[in-house]
Amino acid sequence: MRFGSLPRITPVRGSTVPPPLTSVATLAGFGAALALVSAVALFAAGPAFAQGSEASPGNRGAAPAAAQGRAADRAPRGASAAPAAPVTAVRLAANVYLLAGGGGANSTALVGPDGALLVDAKIDMASGEGVAAALRGVGADRVRFLVNTHEHPDHTGANALFGEQGAVIIAHEGVREVLAAGQRGGPPAPAEALPVATFGDGDVVTLHLDGETAEIRHMPPAHTATNALVRYVNADVYHLGDLYTRVRYPVIAGGTLQGFIDSTDRVLAMSDASAKFVPGVGEVGDRADLIAYRKMLVTVRDRVAALVKQGKSLDEVTAAKPTAEFDETYGQPGPLFLPVIYKELGGGK
């Protein structure tokens, strides 16, 4: 994990945390280094940053493709998108909240006297202001830490807002690289929007604050190569971001289907029957929902693999409808699902 430009850094168990606050950041399974970060230029969200868009597979900064399962994507062509609902704070556990509404992905927050930990920053500054207002309503006057589960604009759009207010932004090192370079043809993000604490592949970062232990875990490449989850250990809440949802098929935008399966298996292994799972999109799920999601992933993989083994083309695989019995739950598979799985499993060779 790397921290840059943080005042009076005090090393703790191979990591660092900015004082003067009392909580401790610890690291598991990897060493840490300090790095100064450079300032970069203005970040502006253009039309390509529309809510629900996803990057194309294998390219963290590529142009967006149509996302799957969101209301805006199901609207008739030419129809106006409905205005985003206000951001509301819904308690999931004693001091852990779901921040639903606004534009972009679900956020969660840990609230307490040490300052709030926020996970994901919606799609734009206005939605970020909505998050800040909702947090004030539950007693959080400031965000101390902001975690980005990956780099896509619907998770990082208000980074600059919270960064300007002094939040320490934490993410996979690839998230910083993409934002600093400018994603999807946009300009580079400003310095205040960039993660200043980064971790690498397979790393785990542990934060101790507000009476809670929050683990930030990099997961196998699935939705993206950078995707991470946040586990609120005592609350038994898992913020999975776009590794999971109850309302659409996975969007494989730089990772693999096997990465989704492996990530789901890891979460099921570390969680228990009472756990709550927060998706990037849609309602919070329980263990039965996550098990059902895994069944869908494995079933679709095995069916596509069998068709690839028979030498079927992508069109033939699509026509065979390997997702048929799951479509009522997850909608119609989009362009970053079956075509990516087909290629991943050796189709077309």
Short mmCIF file of all heavy atoms in Angstrom, two decimals, residues 292-332:
data_model
loop_
_atom_site.label_atom_id
_atom_site.label_comp_id
_atom_site.label_asym_id
_atom_site.label_seq_id
_atom_site.Cartn_x
_atom_site.Cartn_y
_atom_site.Cartn_z
N ALA A 292 -27.41 -18.10 -5.27
CA ALA A 292 -28.14 -18.15 -6.54
C ALA A 292 -27.34 -17.50 -7.66
O ALA A 292 -27.33 -17.97 -8.81
CB ALA A 292 -29.50 -17.48 -6.39
N TYR A 293 -26.67 -16.40 -7.33
CA TYR A 293 -25.83 -15.70 -8.31
C TYR A 293 -24.69 -16.61 -8.77
O TYR A 293 -24.41 -16.72 -9.97
CB TYR A 293 -25.29 -14.44 -7.65
CG TYR A 293 -24.46 -13.53 -8.52
CD1 TYR A 293 -25.03 -12.76 -9.52
CD2 TYR A 293 -23.09 -13.39 -8.28
CE1 TYR A 293 -24.27 -11.89 -10.28
CE2 TYR A 293 -22.31 -12.52 -9.03
CZ TYR A 293 -22.92 -11.77 -10.03
OH TYR A 293 -22.16 -10.90 -10.78
N ARG A 294 -24.07 -17.30 -7.82
CA ARG A 294 -22.99 -18.22 -8.18
C ARG A 294 -23.50 -19.35 -9.07
O ARG A 294 -22.84 -19.75 -10.04
CB ARG A 294 -22.35 -18.81 -6.92
CG ARG A 294 -21.18 -19.72 -7.24
CD ARG A 294 -20.69 -20.52 -6.05
NE ARG A 294 -19.49 -21.28 -6.41
CZ ARG A 294 -19.50 -22.44 -7.06
NH1 ARG A 294 -20.65 -23.00 -7.41
NH2 ARG A 294 -18.34 -23.04 -7.36
N LYS A 295 -24.68 -19.86 -8.76
CA LYS A 295 -25.26 -20.93 -9.59
C LYS A 295 -25.43 -20.46 -11.02
O LYS A 295 -25.12 -21.19 -11.97
CB LYS A 295 -26.61 -21.36 -9.02
CG LYS A 295 -27.29 -22.44 -9.86
CD LYS A 295 -28.65 -22.82 -9.28
CE LYS A 295 -29.34 -23.86 -10.17
NZ LYS A 295 -30.69 -24.21 -9.65
N MET A 296 -25.90 -19.23 -11.19
CA MET A 296 -26.05 -18.68 -12.54
C MET A 296 -24.70 -18.62 -13.25
O MET A 296 -24.56 -19.04 -14.40
CB MET A 296 -26.70 -17.30 -12.47
CG MET A 296 -26.83 -16.58 -13.81
SD MET A 296 -25.36 -15.62 -14.26
CE MET A 296 -25.40 -14.34 -12.99
N LEU A 297 -23.69 -18.09 -12.56
CA LEU A 297 -22.37 -17.95 -13.18
C LEU A 297 -21.82 -19.29 -13.64
O LEU A 297 -21.33 -19.43 -14.77
CB LEU A 297 -21.40 -17.33 -12.17
CG LEU A 297 -21.68 -15.90 -11.67
CD1 LEU A 297 -20.70 -15.55 -10.55
CD2 LEU A 297 -21.58 -14.89 -12.81
N VAL A 298 -21.89 -20.28 -12.77
CA VAL A 298 -21.32 -21.59 -13.09
C VAL A 298 -22.12 -22.29 -14.18
O VAL A 298 -21.54 -22.91 -15.09
CB VAL A 298 -21.25 -22.46 -11.81
CG1 VAL A 298 -20.85 -23.88 -12.14
CG2 VAL A 298 -20.26 -21.85 -10.82
N THR A 299 -23.44 -22.18 -14.12
CA THR A 299 -24.28 -22.82 -15.13
C THR A 299 -24.02 -22.24 -16.51
O THR A 299 -23.85 -22.98 -17.49
CB THR A 299 -25.77 -22.66 -14.77
OG1 THR A 299 -26.01 -23.26 -13.49
CG2 THR A 299 -26.66 -23.32 -15.81
N VAL A 300 -23.96 -20.93 -16.60
CA VAL A 300 -23.70 -20.29 -17.89
C VAL A 300 -22.31 -20.65 -18.39
O VAL A 300 -22.13 -20.98 -19.57
CB VAL A 300 -23.88 -18.76 -17.79
CG1 VAL A 300 -23.43 -18.08 -19.08
CG2 VAL A 300 -25.33 -18.41 -17.49
N ARG A 301 -21.32 -20.63 -17.51
CA ARG A 301 -19.97 -21.02 -17.92
C ARG A 301 -19.95 -22.43 -18.49
O ARG A 301 -19.39 -22.67 -19.58
CB ARG A 301 -19.01 -20.95 -16.73
CG ARG A 301 -17.58 -21.39 -17.06
CD ARG A 301 -16.79 -21.74 -15.82
NE ARG A 301 -17.38 -22.89 -15.11
CZ ARG A 301 -16.97 -23.31 -13.92
NH1 ARG A 301 -15.99 -22.69 -13.28
NH2 ARG A 301 -17.54 -24.36 -13.34
N ASP A 302 -20.56 -23.38 -17.79
CA ASP A 302 -20.52 -24.78 -18.23
C ASP A 302 -21.26 -24.97 -19.55
O ASP A 302 -20.82 -25.75 -20.42
CB ASP A 302 -21.10 -25.68 -17.15
CG ASP A 302 -20.24 -25.74 -15.90
OD1 ASP A 302 -19.08 -25.27 -15.95
OD2 ASP A 302 -20.72 -26.25 -14.86
N ARG A 303 -22.36 -24.26 -19.73
CA ARG A 303 -23.11 -24.39 -20.99
C ARG A 303 -22.34 -23.81 -22.16
O ARG A 303 -22.29 -24.41 -23.24
CB ARG A 303 -24.47 -23.71 -20.85
CG ARG A 303 -25.43 -24.46 -19.96
CD ARG A 303 -26.72 -23.69 -19.76
NE ARG A 303 -27.65 -24.44 -18.91
CZ ARG A 303 -28.78 -23.94 -18.41
NH1 ARG A 303 -29.11 -22.68 -18.69
NH2 ARG A 303 -29.55 -24.68 -17.65
N VAL A 304 -21.73 -22.64 -21.96
CA VAL A 304 -20.96 -22.03 -23.04
C VAL A 304 -19.73 -22.89 -23.35
O VAL A 304 -19.38 -23.10 -24.51
CB VAL A 304 -20.55 -20.60 -22.69
CG1 VAL A 304 -19.61 -20.02 -23.75
CG2 VAL A 304 -21.78 -19.71 -22.56
N ALA A 305 -19.09 -23.43 -22.32
CA ALA A 305 -17.92 -24.29 -22.54
C ALA A 305 -18.29 -25.51 -23.38
O ALA A 305 -17.52 -25.91 -24.27
CB ALA A 305 -17.34 -24.73 -21.19
N ALA A 306 -19.45 -26.11 -23.10
CA ALA A 306 -19.87 -27.28 -23.88
C ALA A 306 -20.11 -26.91 -25.34
O ALA A 306 -19.75 -27.67 -26.26
CB ALA A 306 -21.14 -27.86 -23.26
N LEU A 307 -20.69 -25.75 -25.58
CA LEU A 307 -20.95 -25.31 -26.95
C LEU A 307 -19.65 -24.97 -27.68
O LEU A 307 -19.50 -25.27 -28.88
CB LEU A 307 -21.90 -24.11 -26.94
CG LEU A 307 -23.32 -24.41 -26.46
CD1 LEU A 307 -24.08 -23.12 -26.17
CD2 LEU A 307 -24.07 -25.24 -27.50
N VAL A 308 -18.72 -24.37 -26.97
CA VAL A 308 -17.41 -24.08 -27.57
C VAL A 308 -16.72 -25.39 -27.94
O VAL A 308 -16.12 -25.50 -29.02
CB VAL A 308 -16.54 -23.25 -26.59
CG1 VAL A 308 -15.08 -23.22 -27.04
CG2 VAL A 308 -17.09 -21.84 -26.47
N LYS A 309 -16.82 -26.37 -27.08
CA LYS A 309 -16.19 -27.67 -27.35
C LYS A 309 -16.77 -28.32 -28.61
O LYS A 309 -16.09 -29.05 -29.33
CB LYS A 309 -16.38 -28.60 -26.15
CG LYS A 309 -15.60 -29.90 -26.24
CD LYS A 309 -15.72 -30.70 -24.96
CE LYS A 309 -14.91 -32.00 -25.04
NZ LYS A 309 -15.01 -32.78 -23.78
N GLN A 310 -18.05 -28.01 -28.88
CA GLN A 310 -18.70 -28.54 -30.10
C GLN A 310 -18.34 -27.73 -31.34
O GLN A 310 -18.79 -28.05 -32.44
CB GLN A 310 -20.21 -28.52 -29.91
CG GLN A 310 -20.73 -29.45 -28.82
CD GLN A 310 -22.19 -29.22 -28.51
OE1 GLN A 310 -22.96 -28.75 -29.36
NE2 GLN A 310 -22.60 -29.54 -27.28
N GLY A 311 -17.56 -26.67 -31.17
CA GLY A 311 -17.14 -25.86 -32.30
C GLY A 311 -18.16 -24.82 -32.73
O GLY A 311 -18.09 -24.30 -33.85
N LYS A 312 -19.08 -24.47 -31.86
CA LYS A 312 -20.13 -23.52 -32.21
C LYS A 312 -19.56 -22.11 -32.33
O LYS A 312 -18.63 -21.72 -31.63
CB LYS A 312 -21.24 -23.52 -31.15
CG LYS A 312 -21.92 -24.87 -30.94
CD LYS A 312 -22.68 -25.32 -32.17
CE LYS A 312 -23.45 -26.61 -31.91
NZ LYS A 312 -24.16 -27.09 -33.12
N SER A 313 -20.17 -21.33 -33.22
CA SER A 313 -19.81 -19.93 -33.37
C SER A 313 -20.46 -19.11 -32.26
O SER A 313 -21.36 -19.60 -31.57
CB SER A 313 -20.27 -19.40 -34.73
OG SER A 313 -21.69 -19.35 -34.77
N LEU A 314 -20.04 -17.87 -32.13
CA LEU A 314 -20.65 -17.00 -31.12
C LEU A 314 -22.14 -16.81 -31.40
O LEU A 314 -22.96 -16.83 -30.47
CB LEU A 314 -19.95 -15.64 -31.09
CG LEU A 314 -20.56 -14.59 -30.16
CD1 LEU A 314 -20.60 -15.09 -28.71
CD2 LEU A 314 -19.79 -13.28 -30.25
N ASP A 315 -22.50 -16.66 -32.66
CA ASP A 315 -23.92 -16.52 -33.00
C ASP A 315 -24.70 -17.76 -32.59
O ASP A 315 -25.83 -17.67 -32.09
CB ASP A 315 -24.09 -16.26 -34.49
CG ASP A 315 -23.68 -14.85 -34.90
OD1 ASP A 315 -23.56 -13.99 -34.00
OD2 ASP A 315 -23.47 -14.62 -36.11
N GLU A 316 -24.11 -18.92 -32.80
CA GLU A 316 -24.79 -20.16 -32.42
C GLU A 316 -24.90 -20.30 -30.91
O GLU A 316 -25.92 -20.77 -30.39
CB GLU A 316 -24.04 -21.36 -33.02
CG GLU A 316 -24.17 -21.46 -34.54
CD GLU A 316 -23.27 -22.53 -35.13
OE1 GLU A 316 -22.11 -22.67 -34.65
OE2 GLU A 316 -23.71 -23.22 -36.08
N VAL A 317 -23.87 -19.88 -30.21
CA VAL A 317 -23.93 -19.91 -28.75
C VAL A 317 -25.02 -18.99 -28.25
O VAL A 317 -25.82 -19.35 -27.38
CB VAL A 317 -22.57 -19.52 -28.15
CG1 VAL A 317 -22.68 -19.27 -26.65
CG2 VAL A 317 -21.53 -20.61 -28.42
N THR A 318 -25.09 -17.79 -28.79
CA THR A 318 -26.11 -16.83 -28.39
C THR A 318 -27.51 -17.37 -28.69
O THR A 318 -28.43 -17.26 -27.86
CB THR A 318 -25.89 -15.49 -29.09
OG1 THR A 318 -24.58 -15.00 -28.78
CG2 THR A 318 -26.92 -14.46 -28.64
N ALA A 319 -27.67 -17.97 -29.87
CA ALA A 319 -28.97 -18.52 -30.27
C ALA A 319 -29.41 -19.68 -29.39
O ALA A 319 -30.61 -19.93 -29.22
CB ALA A 319 -28.92 -18.96 -31.73
N ALA A 320 -28.45 -20.39 -28.79
CA ALA A 320 -28.77 -21.51 -27.90
C ALA A 320 -29.33 -21.05 -26.57
O ALA A 320 -29.81 -21.87 -25.78
CB ALA A 320 -27.52 -22.37 -27.69
N LYS A 321 -29.25 -19.75 -26.29
CA LYS A 321 -29.80 -19.15 -25.07
C LYS A 321 -29.31 -19.85 -23.79
O LYS A 321 -30.11 -20.38 -23.01
CB LYS A 321 -31.33 -19.14 -25.12
CG LYS A 321 -31.91 -18.34 -26.28
CD LYS A 321 -33.42 -18.26 -26.22
CE LYS A 321 -33.99 -17.51 -27.39
NZ LYS A 321 -33.50 -16.11 -27.50
N PRO A 322 -28.02 -19.82 -23.56
CA PRO A 322 -27.50 -20.49 -22.35
C PRO A 322 -27.91 -19.82 -21.05
O PRO A 322 -27.69 -20.38 -19.97
CB PRO A 322 -25.99 -20.44 -22.56
CG PRO A 322 -25.77 -19.27 -23.45
CD PRO A 322 -26.95 -19.24 -24.37
N THR A 323 -28.50 -18.65 -21.13
CA THR A 323 -28.94 -17.94 -19.92
C THR A 323 -30.45 -18.03 -19.70
O THR A 323 -30.96 -17.43 -18.73
CB THR A 323 -28.57 -16.44 -20.00
OG1 THR A 323 -29.32 -15.82 -21.07
CG2 THR A 323 -27.08 -16.25 -20.26
N ALA A 324 -31.17 -18.76 -20.53
CA ALA A 324 -32.63 -18.64 -20.63
C ALA A 324 -33.36 -18.62 -19.28
O ALA A 324 -34.16 -17.72 -19.02
CB ALA A 324 -33.18 -19.76 -21.51
N GLU A 325 -33.08 -19.58 -18.41
CA GLU A 325 -33.88 -19.66 -17.18
C GLU A 325 -33.54 -18.58 -16.16
O GLU A 325 -34.24 -18.39 -15.18
CB GLU A 325 -33.74 -21.03 -16.52
CG GLU A 325 -32.45 -21.20 -15.74
CD GLU A 325 -31.63 -22.37 -16.22
OE1 GLU A 325 -31.42 -22.48 -17.44
OE2 GLU A 325 -31.21 -23.18 -15.38
N PHE A 326 -32.44 -17.84 -16.42
CA PHE A 326 -32.04 -16.78 -15.50
C PHE A 326 -32.46 -15.39 -15.97
O PHE A 326 -32.32 -14.41 -15.23
CB PHE A 326 -30.51 -16.81 -15.32
CG PHE A 326 -29.98 -18.13 -14.86
CD1 PHE A 326 -29.24 -18.94 -15.72
CD2 PHE A 326 -30.22 -18.59 -13.57
CE1 PHE A 326 -28.74 -20.16 -15.31
CE2 PHE A 326 -29.72 -19.82 -13.14
CZ PHE A 326 -28.99 -20.61 -14.01
N ASP A 327 -32.97 -15.29 -17.20
CA ASP A 327 -33.25 -13.98 -17.78
C ASP A 327 -34.33 -13.22 -17.01
O ASP A 327 -34.31 -11.99 -16.96
CB ASP A 327 -33.66 -14.11 -19.24
CG ASP A 327 -32.51 -14.54 -20.15
OD1 ASP A 327 -31.36 -14.55 -19.67
OD2 ASP A 327 -32.77 -14.88 -21.32
N GLU A 328 -35.27 -13.94 -16.43
CA GLU A 328 -36.32 -13.26 -15.68
C GLU A 328 -35.74 -12.50 -14.49
O GLU A 328 -36.24 -11.43 -14.11
CB GLU A 328 -37.37 -14.27 -15.19
CG GLU A 328 -38.54 -13.61 -14.46
CD GLU A 328 -39.62 -14.59 -14.06
OE1 GLU A 328 -39.53 -15.78 -14.45
OE2 GLU A 328 -40.55 -14.17 -13.36
N THR A 329 -34.67 -13.04 -13.92
CA THR A 329 -34.02 -12.39 -12.77
C THR A 329 -33.03 -11.33 -13.20
O THR A 329 -33.02 -10.22 -12.66
CB THR A 329 -33.30 -13.44 -11.92
OG1 THR A 329 -34.25 -14.37 -11.42
CG2 THR A 329 -32.56 -12.78 -10.75
N TYR A 330 -32.19 -11.63 -14.19
CA TYR A 330 -31.05 -10.78 -14.51
C TYR A 330 -31.23 -9.97 -15.79
O TYR A 330 -30.32 -9.23 -16.18
CB TYR A 330 -29.77 -11.63 -14.60
CG TYR A 330 -29.44 -12.33 -13.30
CD1 TYR A 330 -29.69 -13.69 -13.15
CD2 TYR A 330 -28.90 -11.64 -12.23
CE1 TYR A 330 -29.39 -14.35 -11.96
CE2 TYR A 330 -28.61 -12.27 -11.04
CZ TYR A 330 -28.85 -13.63 -10.90
OH TYR A 330 -28.57 -14.27 -9.72
N GLY A 331 -32.36 -10.10 -16.47
CA GLY A 331 -32.56 -9.36 -17.71
C GLY A 331 -31.90 -10.05 -18.89
O GLY A 331 -31.53 -11.23 -18.82
N GLN A 332 -31.74 -9.32 -19.98
CA GLN A 332 -31.09 -9.89 -21.16
C GLN A 332 -29.58 -9.69 -21.06
O GLN A 332 -29.11 -8.62 -20.66
CB GLN A 332 -31.62 -9.21 -22.42
CG GLN A 332 -33.06 -9.55 -22.74
CD GLN A 332 -33.25 -11.06 -22.97
OE1 GLN A 332 -32.54 -11.67 -23.76
NE2 GLN A 332 -34.22 -11.63 -22.27
#
